Amino acid sequence: MMMTMMKTKRKRMTENILLKMMNIGKSFASVNVLSNVNFELKSGEVHILAGENGAGKSTLIKILCGVYNEYKGEIFVQNKLCKFNSVHDAARTGITVIHQELSLINELSVVDNLFLGREISGKTGWLKRSVQESEAKKLLARLGLEIDVNKYVEEFPMSVKQMIEIAKALAIDAKIIIFDEPTSALNEPDVVKLFEIIQNLKKQGCGIVYITHKMKEIYNIGDRITVLRDGNYIGTDSKDNLLRNKLVNWMVGREMTQQFPERIPKLGKTKFQVDNCSIDDPAGGPFKVVKDISFKVREGEILGIAGLQGSGNSELFNGLFGTYGKNISAKMIIDDIEYKIGTPAQSINRGLTLLTNDRKLTGLVLNMSIADNVTLPSLKSFSKNGFIKRNEELNAAKICSERLRIKSHSVLQETQTLSGGNQQKVALGKWWETNPKILLLDEPTKGVDVGAKHEIYELMNEWTNEGMAILLITSEMPELLAMSDRIIVMHLGQVTAEFTREEATQEKILNAAMGG
Ligand SMILES: Nc1ncnc2c1ncn2[C@@H]1O[C@H](COP(=O)(O)OP(=O)(O)OP(=O)(O)O)[C@@H](O)[C@H]1O
Ligand SMILES: [Mg+2]
């Protein structure tokens, strides 16, 4: 009797375990990026994979889902030793990833993306288009999304793209679903929706691996947490045991109690003034995306521009920078001098630069080195008589790389082989090199780890102390509240509220962002 009970109990325990990765090791061209890493996933749990930028999280996941098939160690899925040769191979075993950089094909329709590689065809071999369409609609409906599935993916905002990517995971009936920083492009209400979806997946018995740099999310959605540091396994514990300070200590290897550095702004005269700014829809739609907005930013000030998806805040930045050409009307004044909107290059010359929120599209040239990226917009200062002063260029890149603590083998490493957070730091370094007077930052700490975030906040304080004016867009509310001296809130292209640092609260901002 006792024996049978023990046996069934043991059976239940092992059945519960969906995945075991043991002693995983991986190196790229003799550089070790993972060694002896262990990871386990149970059915019905959200297991957080945490660690600093470059710790090896995405690499571990890429091994799990068949992107890399040369590695050390063993992977067991439901007690069966597995070796995946491709992403398809892993998907057939029920493993799927919602990647850090989404893997949808923008130039294909929603339905084509959902059925890519597993098209439904009839007896004659013809695609059953209508079957696919109705299947696609059903999948999206499970996520509460009603969209035209024949539209190209590129026509949808990031939050919808994210849902389409999740629908892809549902479509293959995945048991193990991995989210690699899923909320980096989502706003608060979308995050709530995503968390509901995850809770549902848990109930259905799925195991979720969740990678994030956001503390709030770790403790909100996580059940257990595993920490990697410099490619090594540090430990695993339940979220109730692993409190914030200990977790940060595991991640960065030192004590770090305070998330935001103290900010004491030194405000000077008006640095940047924008009056009656309106911007046409860059996608050609009939409505303006920014409608008659006016604001001023002072020397040394950080002005937060809050807003949800569709608020027009990112479009405002792009319009001011010159990304949309002349599709903007506004009176613009930098240092008391009025000027007309020009190209991005002219903006940079005037001292106005923009860090975009999509480093993949507009932030970086991924197949170029760190050094080449960092010095790209300021190349003029590194050339003489038409020749590039390569040594000076490399030196500047090294200084910048150390200042921002970019984790790389050398400044000549190709940017696309850097971890996500380190790519973000390269993008920031690139604009820092242009010595801007006014810096427009759209999600500057997207994908950046706790330690490096702190460093970026300190840089923002330092730069504003030297007289720079910063405009800040961030979907991380604590960051917006801690770093902004003043906040204006946008809704559907218009300003719905303005708060001083003292007045601002999360509730007031969200309320105004939803139209007040
Ligand atoms: N294809 C590659 N070639 C060379 N090095 C690589 C390659 N891919 C990753 N690396 C290196 O492996 C290390 C781990 O990167 P990985 O992307 O796994 O980090 P991460 O933990 O996901 O970081 P982040 O939080 O920034 O996304 C980094 O130092 C990175 O530069
Ligand atoms: Mg990563």
Side-chain angles (χ1 to χ4, degrees), residues 412-428:
L412 296 176
Q413 187 173 339
E414 255 188 40
T415 315
Q416 61 192 347
T417 65
L418 293 179
S419 76
N422 280 299
Q423 289 182 11
Q424 181 68 8
K425 291 195 218 167
V426 175
L428 200 61

Side-chain angles (χ1 to χ4, degrees), residues 26-29 31-34 49-62 68 100 180-181 211-213 228 230-231 359 407-409 413-425 446-449:
K26 171 81 191 160
S27 50
F28 292 105
V31 182
N32 244 348
V33 298
L34 286 178
L49 187 55
E52 289 187 295
N53 296 133
K57 303 177 298 292
S58 294
T59 306
L60 186 71
I61 291 318
K62 284 179 185 159
Y68 300 138
Q100 192 164 9
D180 195 350
E181 298 189 43
I211 300 178
T212 182
H213 289 292
L228 302 184
D230 288 331
R359 57 176 176 263
K407 189 169 183 278
S408 65
H409 316 315
Q413 187 173 339
E414 255 188 40
T415 315
Q416 61 192 347
T417 65
L418 293 179
S419 76
N422 280 299
Q423 289 182 11
Q424 181 68 8
K425 291 195 218 167
K446 180 169 150 182
V448 171
D449 68 52

Side-chain angles (χ1 to χ4, degrees), residues 80-100:
K80 218 176 108 202
L81 182 64
C82 292
K83 172 114 200 168
F84 306 123
N85 289 316
S86 66
V87 177
H88 278 295
D89 217 9
R92 268 194 295 272
T93 317
I95 301 175
T96 192
V97 188
I98 319 290
H99 280 287
Q100 192 164 9

Side-chain angles (χ1 to χ4, degrees), residues 17-55:
I17 292 174
L18 287 176
L19 168 75
K20 245 182 190 311
M21 297 179 83
M22 294 168 76
N23 301 320
I24 303 293
K26 171 81 191 160
S27 50
F28 292 105
S30 78
V31 182
N32 244 348
V33 298
L34 286 178
S35 32
N36 288 319
V37 171
N38 296 314
F39 186 78
E40 181 196 85
L41 182 68
K42 290 180 194 159
S43 132
E45 81 165 336
V46 174
H47 197 143
I48 306 278
L49 187 55
E52 289 187 295
N53 296 133

